[in-house]
């Protein structure tokens, strides 16, 4: 599935109330490592048709950042049926992202 | 974005010989390093065990290496690589100046990382950060401690202090800078003490979430930045297999690491720490990278 950008207001509906697995890439435009990880997340999305992949700008999402203890970016959050199942901070390899969503 | 055939990190004998070998094989090469090549090489008083280059100072040997590079039309990209991401089919390299991509990667950074603080690696990304310029914006209205190992860390601390509410700075300088008391802008509080470890206050949140242990006390803050001259290699490249001490990269006879397309050469792969061994490994690593490129077209 293609990657979509969401904002904090959509978070509840798009993530918490969503069924199945959702991968959220928490990033910001000023963050170099986030710009490196972005294309890899895109690739994972393209190769996993059933997976819902969303991007959330950390600068505009203080409430979500606080709720999920986001202290550094990029952070990847994996939700299964609306519950946080996995969290990874910093740059990780494509293989490691695939492990997260298993 | 332009994608190089081979990206080499490090401009000591291992990295340089890898660059020369890959260039000879007509590969598009980028090598990251420094104009003076290697501080270890330049500081060497006397080199007598490098075939054909004997009875010379390290600086003279470096000069010969530079002539060789010039002859091969190889220019060193003087940017510090802070993060490398194995992206699957390619590698992405981040410097302060930008992002680069390459199909293969040769690590030749040497082994000068210094000792980690107890707790540092375990808490990385959970209150410990290596990049103030990356994470500064998350510290709006929060407090942070910067543990600075080189004077370059001072500018990063000041950048952080423009955003954060309160910044403490603990200088851990060595050598000629050892007794310097930095004068820093934006109300940064300089603490002249020695960092001995990092802990998380599990029960606490906010400004007392993290604890930097000092020889004479402790500092509590939202987060702790540890800024060194170079990054431990398994932090630089996530997923890279290193030995138990975390000092050397695991390689096979072809200088291949556990990550497909990633090779290593020089002191980074283990002893003996000698120039000619590093140069030989650089040659093997580059040929292995060329073979990898040929089979993964």
């Amino acid at each position: 599935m293609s990657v979509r950008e969401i904002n904090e207001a959509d978070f509840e509906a798009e993530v918490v109330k969503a069924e199945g697995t959702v991968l959220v890439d928490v990033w910001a435009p000023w963050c170099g490592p986030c710009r490196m990880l972005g294309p890899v997340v895109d690739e994972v999305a393209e190769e996993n048709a059933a997976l819902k992949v969303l991007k959330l700008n950390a600068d505009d999402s203080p409430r979500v950042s606080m709720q999920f203890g986001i202290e550094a970016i990029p952070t990847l959050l994996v939700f299964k049926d609306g519950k946080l199942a996995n969290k990874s901070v910093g740059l990780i390899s494509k293989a490691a992202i695939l492990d997260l969503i298993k | 974005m332009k994608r190089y055939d081979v990206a080499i990190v490090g401009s000591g004998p291992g990295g340089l010989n890898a660059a020369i070998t890959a260039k000879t094989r007509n590969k598009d090469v980028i090598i990251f390093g420094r104009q003076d090549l290697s501080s270890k090489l330049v500081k060497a008083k006397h080199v007598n065990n490098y075939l054909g280059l004997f009875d010379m100072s390290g600086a003279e040997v470096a000069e010969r290496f530079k002539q060789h590079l010039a002859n091969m039309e190889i220019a060193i990209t003087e940017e510090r690589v802070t993060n490398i991401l194995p992206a699957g089919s390619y590698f992405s390299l981040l410097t302060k100046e930008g992002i680069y991509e390459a199909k293969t990667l040769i690590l030749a950074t040497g082994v000068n990382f210094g000792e980690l603080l107890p707790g540092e690696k375990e808490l990385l990304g959970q209150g410990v950060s290596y990049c103030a310029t990356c994470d500064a914006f998350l510290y709006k209205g929060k407090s942070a401690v910067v543990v600075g190992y080189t004077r370059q860390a001072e500018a990063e601390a000041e950048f952080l202090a423009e955003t954060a509410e309160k910044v403490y700075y603990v200088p851990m300088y060595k050598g000629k800078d050892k007794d310097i008391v930095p004068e820093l802008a934006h109300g940064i509080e300089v603490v002249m003490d020695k960092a001995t470890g990092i802990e998380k206050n599990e029960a606490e949140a906010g400004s007392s979430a993290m604890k930097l242990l000092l020889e004479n006390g402790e500092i509590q803050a939202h987060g702790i930045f540890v800024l060194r001259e170079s990054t431990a290699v398994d932090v630089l490249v996530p997923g890279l297999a290193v030995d138990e001490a975390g000092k050397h990269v695991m390689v096979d006879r072809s200088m291949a690491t556990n990550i497909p397309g990633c090779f290593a050469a020089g002191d980074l792969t283990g002893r003996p720490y000698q120039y000619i061994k590093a140069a030989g490994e650089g040659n093997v690593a580059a040929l292995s990278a060329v073979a990898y490129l040929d089979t993964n077209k």
Side-chain angles (χ1 to χ4, degrees), chain B residues 18-40:
Chain B
I20 285 167
T21 305
K23 184 87 193 261
T24 309
R25 302 296 292 262
N26 281 322
K27 297 302 173 195
D28 199 356
V29 179
I30 184 165
I31 173 167
F32 296 91
R34 18 196 294 172
Q35 206 55 51
D36 70 353
L37 303 185
S38 145
S39 57
K40 182 183 162 190

Side-chain angles (χ1 to χ4, degrees), chain B:
Chain B
M1 190 183 295
K2 175 179 172 143
R3 195 167 286 179
Y4 291 90
D5 291 324
V6 186
I8 299 164
V9 184
S11 56
L16 296 179
N17 217 2
I20 285 167
T21 305
K23 184 87 193 261
T24 309
R25 302 296 292 262
N26 281 322
K27 297 302 173 195
D28 199 356
V29 179
I30 184 165
I31 173 167
F32 296 91
R34 18 196 294 172
Q35 206 55 51
D36 70 353
L37 303 185
S38 145
S39 57
K40 182 183 162 190
L41 180 58
V42 174
K43 279 183 202 152
K45 281 205 172 63
H46 196 225
V47 178
N48 223 357
N49 56 357
Y50 197 107
L51 184 66
L53 298 176
F54 58 98
D55 198 16
M56 284 185 179
S57 68
E60 284 173 308
V61 171
E63 198 46 49
R64 291 293 193 91
F65 287 173
K66 280 187 196 170
Q67 287 168 14
H68 197 166
L69 291 182
N71 179 263
M72 298 283 297
E73 295 178 357
I74 295 169
I76 290 173
T77 302
E78 282 183 89
E79 295 176 24
R80 194 181 136 201
V81 177
T82 54
N83 293 93
I84 300 175
L85 180 63
S89 54
Y90 66 97
F91 295 88
S92 182
L93 295 90
L94 180 71
T95 73
K96 217 175 198 170
E97 287 78 6
I99 295 174
Y100 297 85
E101 289 182 4
K103 293 175 200 160
T104 62
L105 172 69
I106 297 174
L107 299 168
T109 57
V111 284
N112 187 25
F113 320 130
E115 295 285 313
L116 298 184
L117 293 169
E120 175 184 329
K121 196 173 175 180
E122 294 76 12
L123 295 169
L124 184 63
Q126 304 171 50
V128 174
S129 169
Y130 285 154
C131 182
T133 49
C134 306
D135 294 336
F137 286 78
L138 296 168
Y139 281 82
K140 199 175 244 177
K142 294 185 180 177
S143 58
V145 192
V146 176
V147 185
Y149 284 81
T150 68
R151 299 210 66 189
Q152 284 76 38
E154 294 172 13
E156 283 207 55
E158 289 180 334
F159 179 81
L160 180 65
E162 286 177 25
T163 312
E165 192 167 277
K166 174 77 188 172
V167 174
Y168 302 89
Y169 188 84
V170 182
M172 298 277 281
Y173 305 155
K174 284 191 177 142
K176 63 175 171 40
D177 295 335
K178 194 169 167 282
D179 297 319
I180 286 176
V181 181
E183 287 181 27
L184 304 177
H186 309 303
I188 295 174
E189 186 175 334
V190 176
V191 181
M192 297 302 287
D193 204 331
K194 192 167 172 272
T196 55
I198 297 172
E199 285 179 4
K200 194 173 185 123
N201 274 339
E202 289 299 344
E204 302 283 337
S207 62
S208 54
M210 301 299 296
K211 230 191 308 186
L212 178 72
L213 307 176
L214 303 168
E215 257 177 12
N216 305 297
E218 60 177 54
I219 306 173
Q220 296 190 344
H222 281 96
I224 297 171
F225 290 82
V226 182
L227 307 178
R228 289 198 175 78
E229 186 174 9
S230 52
T231 316
V233 70
D234 54 331
V235 174
L236 186 68
V237 188
L240 187 69
V242 294
D243 67 4
E244 253 173 59
K247 201 168 183 184
H248 298 131
V249 176
M250 311 284 271
V251 289
D252 65 12
R253 283 275 300 147
S254 72
M255 296 292 126
T257 69
N258 65 314
I259 298 172
C262 175
F263 306 86
D267 290 358
L268 186 59
T269 69
R271 292 174 190 280
Y273 296 157
Q274 300 209 343
Y275 303 130
I276 200 146
K277 175 264 196 188
E281 288 188 353
N283 171 268
V284 176
L287 292 175
S288 300
V290 170
Y292 179 89
L293 286 166
D294 289 343
T295 51
N296 292 281
K297 267 184 187 157

Side-chain angles (χ1 to χ4, degrees), chain A residues 38-68:
Chain A
V40 184
V41 171
D42 294 348
E43 233 177 76
V44 169
E46 275 162 34
E47 291 164 11
N48 294 274
L51 181 70
K52 184 173 179 182
V53 183
L54 304 170
K55 299 211 182 208
L56 181 75
N57 187 325
D59 286 347
D60 307 330
S61 314
R63 202 166 39 79
V64 172
S65 295
M66 177 109 55
Q67 189 181 351
F68 294 100

